[in-house]
Amino acid sequence: MLYLDHAATTPMRPEVWEAMSPHAETIYGNASGSHGAARSAKNALEEARERAAAVLGAQALEIVFTGGGTESDNLAVQGAALAGGGRGAIVTTAIEHEAILETAAFLAELGCPVRIIGVDVSGVVDPDDVAAAVDDDTAIVSVMAANNETGVVQPVRRVSEAVKKRRPSVVVHTDAVQSFISQELNVDDLGVDMLSLAAHKFGGPKGVGLLYVRSGVGLKPVLHGGGQELGRRSGTHNVMGAVGLATAMELTTADRDRFNTDVGAARRSFEEGLRRRIPDLEVNAPAGGRLVQHSHLRIPGVRNETLLVRLDQRGLAVATGSSCQSGAATISHVLAAMGFDDRRARECLRFSFGWTTRPEDGDSAAEIVADAVETLR
């Protein structure tokens, strides 16, 4: 199988499992305990926290380990909106991940005002539009670093600057789940107060992520219980997952130049090969404004679900859109926000390359896709 659905999840890097395995076999204590086994687990946990923080340019106590990207997004939005017992307003965009939009919808039911900002035809939000929606009751602004479907990169730094200029107390959050594998992320350079990651998007284990929370930012917990993570996220620590996350972050950082070179070559040859055989092919993202690993394409006259099945039969794994929308009857909210009608949206597929991609995989994938399209047409 040629796997081009890395935006959904990635294979685990072998070094990550090597680092994690002792915590399944020998260092298995509960990090909240006080005996020797627990202290060993606690030491590993705090070392992982320090390592993760160093990658992001943060302080160790600013890292909250979570159960993944969805929980991280929930904690960020709910935690900021409900901090201090209030019902703060949420400002976000129409192309965010469901973890943001559905959390905002839930908070709206609790009385929190929600303002959704549109994007242009390329899927990019205007920082001035975001800032204009901020007022005295705004608690949090959440704008993703890059879109999980199209790969379009958002101007997070400029959004933060515009928001802070209008109201410095507003918390700025970014969902950076898709972008970390190919883009260097430093919380100060981005100007954000909170940032979400999920390990399985860059060669780590599923079921673990983190939320960076800048020191001094108020956060009401979503999970209540034993008060772990300085009261910000209760629950027995997933020490093995935290070690895997930190290891994957370091490996991804060290491998990023190679990743961008190989994946860039693969995507370039993939799209060039398709254009030669499918002249009416459309790329649904600006050339210089998308993640190197994403290729979101429209093939006019070919239903995406039908093509997906044909590609799967030929050993090529791709997606029609976000994994969270798999099987949905409605079209992608991201494409709808970009102005796609139902017909055009149902002619789009997402190809996403990853750390296992070889430069020659682009040519192989292009041949498979072109052959399948010619058959269908």
Side-chain angles (χ1 to χ4, degrees):
M1 179 180 68
L2 179 54
Y3 184 74
L4 294 186
D5 196 19
H6 288 263
T9 195
T10 59
M12 190 185 298
R13 296 175 186 265
E15 302 95 330
V16 171
W17 175 246
E18 183 180 351
M20 291 170 58
S21 59
H23 300 276
E25 300 165 354
T26 57
I27 312 174
Y28 48 76
N30 188 323
S32 297
S34 56
H35 47 65
R39 287 195 300 273
S40 295
K42 177 70 170 178
N43 290 340
L45 178 74
E46 295 311 319
E47 181 184 350
R49 195 187 310 277
E50 292 175 358
R51 293 162 59 195
V55 172
L56 296 175
Q59 300 300 312
L61 292 182
E62 295 177 319
I63 300 298
V64 180
F65 289 119
T66 68
T70 291
E71 185 192 330
S72 182
D73 284 344
N74 271 257
L75 179 56
V77 178
Q78 290 191 52
L82 302 179
R87 292 289 187 272
I90 301 107
V91 176
T92 189
T93 80
I95 60 164
E96 298 297 309
H97 190 277
E98 290 85 350
I100 296 293
L101 294 175
E102 291 300 320
T103 300
F106 165 73
L107 291 169
E109 295 176 357
L110 301 183
C112 296
V114 175
R115 301 169 192 129
I116 307 294
I117 311 303
V119 295
D120 63 19
V121 294
S122 297
V124 180
V125 70
D126 186 330
D128 292 335
D129 290 345
V130 177
V134 171
D135 58 19
D136 291 346
D137 68 350
T138 303
I140 180 170
V141 168
S142 184
V143 175
M144 66 193 339
N147 188 259
N148 53 302
E149 291 187 42
T150 64
V152 172
V153 176
Q154 300 301 320
V156 174
R157 175 71 193 188
R158 291 195 291 122
V159 167
S160 179
E161 290 174 345
V163 168
K164 295 294 186 180
K165 182 178 180 180
R166 185 173 179 88
R167 189 167 176 79
S169 62
V170 172
V171 173
V172 177
H173 166 254
T174 188
D175 176 338
V177 166
Q178 286 293 330
S179 61
F180 178 77
I181 194 167
S182 60
Q183 293 194 318
E184 180 180 356
L185 299 178
N186 179 285
V187 292
D188 287 336
D189 290 344
L190 288 171
V192 296
D193 301 300
M194 294 195 285
L195 179 147
S196 296
L197 292 181
H200 75 105
K201 301 294 189 178
F202 46 86
K206 297 178 180 65
V208 63
L210 65 76
L211 178 65
Y212 157 76
V213 183
R214 187 176 294 277
S215 179
V217 171
L219 198 69
K220 186 172 182 62
V222 172
L223 299 179
H224 304 273
Q228 288 88 348
E229 296 295 286
L230 300 179
R232 298 171 294 189
R233 197 272 188 183
S234 293
T236 301
H237 288 105
N238 178 4
V239 178
M240 182 168 67
V243 170
L245 168 63
T247 303
M249 290 176 69
E250 292 171 341
L251 290 168
T252 296
T253 301
D255 186 46
R256 193 169 282 133
D257 288 344
R258 193 281 314 168
F259 177 95
N260 286 327
T261 297
D262 286 357
V263 167
R267 191 187 71 179
R268 183 167 54 253
S269 63
F270 172 66
E271 293 182 356
E272 289 175 353
L274 284 182
R275 284 194 177 98
R276 285 193 293 269
R277 295 183 59 181
I278 309 174
D280 55 348
L281 180 79
E282 296 178 8
V283 179
N284 302 320
R290 56 177 164 143
L291 297 174
V292 69
Q293 66 267 28
H294 277 62
S295 184
H296 194 275
L297 308 176
R298 175 180 173 237
I299 302 173
V302 178
R303 182 88 169 194
N304 55 11
E305 293 178 352
T306 303
L307 180 55
L308 185 147
V309 171
R310 294 295 182 95
L311 297 180
D312 189 38
Q313 292 171 343
R314 288 164 167 79
L316 177 58
V318 300
T320 56
S322 168
S323 297
C324 299
Q325 296 172 333
S326 180
T330 57
I331 68 169
S332 158
H333 68 279
V334 173
L335 297 184
M338 293 168 61
F340 281 67
D341 59 22
D342 186 272
R343 177 185 59 81
R344 291 176 63 217
R346 295 187 186 281
E347 295 171 342
C348 296
L349 280 177
R350 180 186 70 183
F351 301 82
S352 49
F353 303 81
W355 71 268
T356 59
T357 298
R358 303 165 301 174
E360 61 267 26
D361 288 342
D363 290 327
S364 300
E367 183 176 352
I368 294 171
V369 174
D371 286 346
V373 169
E374 290 175 2
T375 299
L376 291 171
R377 281 181 164 180

